[in-house]
């Protein structure tokens, strides 16, 4: 799994509560990404980072924020969880260059009740 | 709009048989096209990466083709095995902006004995 660890792997939370998912990498990759995967939609980009403290929005960023204070850690925060954010979340990392492979974590299954 | 469309959505094949999965994309400007395999409950794992100038690339029993003029790609699985049962995802990378990835919805393959 190329040294990418997501935590927690499973979480159930109540609507309106804040939630933070963590992605930790040991590959020293510059780029890190957060995706969500839902039936019928494939993987969709939430936010990505191209360096420490450098982040940008993806196609489904509403309701999510991210932070990257160190190369190895990329945090995804749901400020106030909603049922529509029930999903499987994947972190990915990649180096720079057009042929650089993107490595994915094992995923976090989040259920908002 | 940058999109990646895959067909069929799912297919069932008998062990030992061959199959071909299709991918059409409208992502521009194009950087590279990747095929990923995703086993149930796990993150996607890269099978092949092809740039604009590459027409075909193999990884064991997996062979990917790319026609950059028609913006089509295929993934051929030869002599299928039960372990090939998974979702196969076509992913197109755009130039610049961190090589952001656009994912297709995937083709779910079930290999039966």
């Amino acid at each position: 799994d190329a040294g990418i660890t997501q935590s927690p792997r499973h979480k159930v939370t109540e609507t309106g509560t804040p939630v933070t998912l963590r992605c930790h990498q040991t590959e020293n990759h510059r780029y890190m990404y957060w995706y969500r995967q839902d039936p019928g939609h494939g993987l969709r980009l939430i936010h990505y980072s191209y360096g420490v403290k450098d982040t940008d929005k993806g196609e489904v960023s509403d309701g999510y924020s991210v932070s990257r204070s160190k190369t190895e850690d990329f945090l995804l925060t749901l400020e106030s969880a909603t049922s529509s954010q029930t999903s499987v979340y994947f972190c990915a990392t990649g180096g720079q260059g057009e042929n650089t492979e993107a490595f994915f974590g094992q995923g976090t299954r989040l259920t908002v009740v | 709009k940058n999109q990646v469309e895959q067909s069929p959505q799912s297919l069932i094949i008998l062990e030992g048989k061959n199959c071909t999965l299709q991918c059409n994309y409208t992502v521009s400007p194009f950087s590279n096209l990747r095929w990923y395999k995703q086993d149930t409950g796990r993150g996607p794992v890269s099978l092949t990466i092809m740039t604009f100038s590459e027409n075909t690339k193999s990884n064991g029993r997996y062979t990917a083709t790319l026609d950059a003029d028609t913006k089509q790609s295929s993934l051929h699985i030869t002599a299928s095995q039960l372990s090939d049962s998974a979702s196969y995802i076509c992913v197109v990378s755009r130039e610049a902006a961190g090589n952001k990835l656009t994912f297709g919805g995937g083709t779910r393959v079930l290999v039966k004995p």
Side-chain angles (χ1 to χ4, degrees):
Chain A
D1 294 321
I4 301 171
T5 305
Q6 290 185 230
S7 58
R9 292 292 314 279
H10 302 273
K11 186 172 181 65
V12 179
T13 191
E14 293 185 348
T15 299
T17 61
V19 177
T20 295
L21 308 183
R22 180 177 182 245
C23 178
H24 178 78
Q25 60 138 333
T26 58
E27 302 296 316
N28 199 34
H29 284 159
R30 177 180 176 183
Y31 294 96
M32 297 186 76
Y33 310 83
W34 275 108
Y35 294 90
R36 60 178 289 174
Q37 187 173 35
D38 305 288
H41 288 280
L43 281 131
R44 293 181 291 173
L45 181 65
I46 305 172
H47 281 280
Y48 71 101
S49 169
Y50 44 95
V52 173
K53 297 185 178 177
D54 289 325
T55 65
D56 205 349
K57 296 179 179 180
E59 59 185 299
V60 290
S61 60
D62 288 347
Y64 302 95
S65 63
V66 290
S67 66
R68 190 160 178 210
S69 58
K70 299 184 291 185
T71 298
E72 54 267 35
D73 290 325
F74 194 31
L75 304 181
L76 176 70
T77 298
L78 290 66
E79 301 291 346
S80 177
T82 67
S83 58
S84 64
Q85 294 176 311
T86 292
S87 186
V88 179
Y89 292 85
F90 286 98
C91 171
T93 74
Q96 196 169 3
E98 65 177 7
N99 279 341
T100 303
E101 183 175 342
F103 297 94
F104 286 81
Q106 294 281 42
T108 295
R109 183 174 293 277
L110 176 68
T111 303
V112 183
V113 297
Chain B
K1 185 177 180 181
N2 295 305
Q3 289 186 313
V4 179
E5 302 288 341
Q6 291 187 243
S7 63
Q9 282 191 318
S10 63
L11 67 94
I12 299 173
I13 58 174
L14 293 177
E15 187 179 11
K17 298 297 185 182
N18 305 333
C19 68
T20 300
L21 316 179
Q22 300 293 339
C23 173
N24 297 333
Y25 64 92
T26 58
V27 175
S28 181
F30 173 86
S31 178
N32 60 65
L33 186 144
R34 311 161 185 225
W35 282 95
Y36 281 83
K37 178 185 179 186
Q38 186 176 21
D39 294 311
T40 300
R42 301 184 69 86
V45 175
S46 178
L47 293 175
T48 63
I49 300 176
M50 289 184 292
T51 61
F52 183 89
S53 59
E54 296 177 293
N55 300 118
T56 184
K57 184 165 281 190
S58 292
N59 179 358
R61 294 178 296 100
Y62 301 103
T63 300
T65 65
L66 173 64
D67 185 334
D69 292 331
T70 61
K71 298 186 177 181
Q72 296 179 324
S73 176
S74 65
L75 180 70
H76 187 75
I77 305 175
T78 303
S80 61
Q81 300 177 358
L82 298 179
S83 60
D84 292 331
S85 294
S87 289
Y88 292 85
I89 306 172
C90 176
V91 186
V92 181
S93 173
R94 289 169 51 200
E95 288 184 355
N99 277 332
K100 281 192 288 187
L101 307 177
T102 302
F103 287 77
T107 294
R108 186 175 297 276
V109 174
L110 176 61
V111 181
K112 288 191 170 182

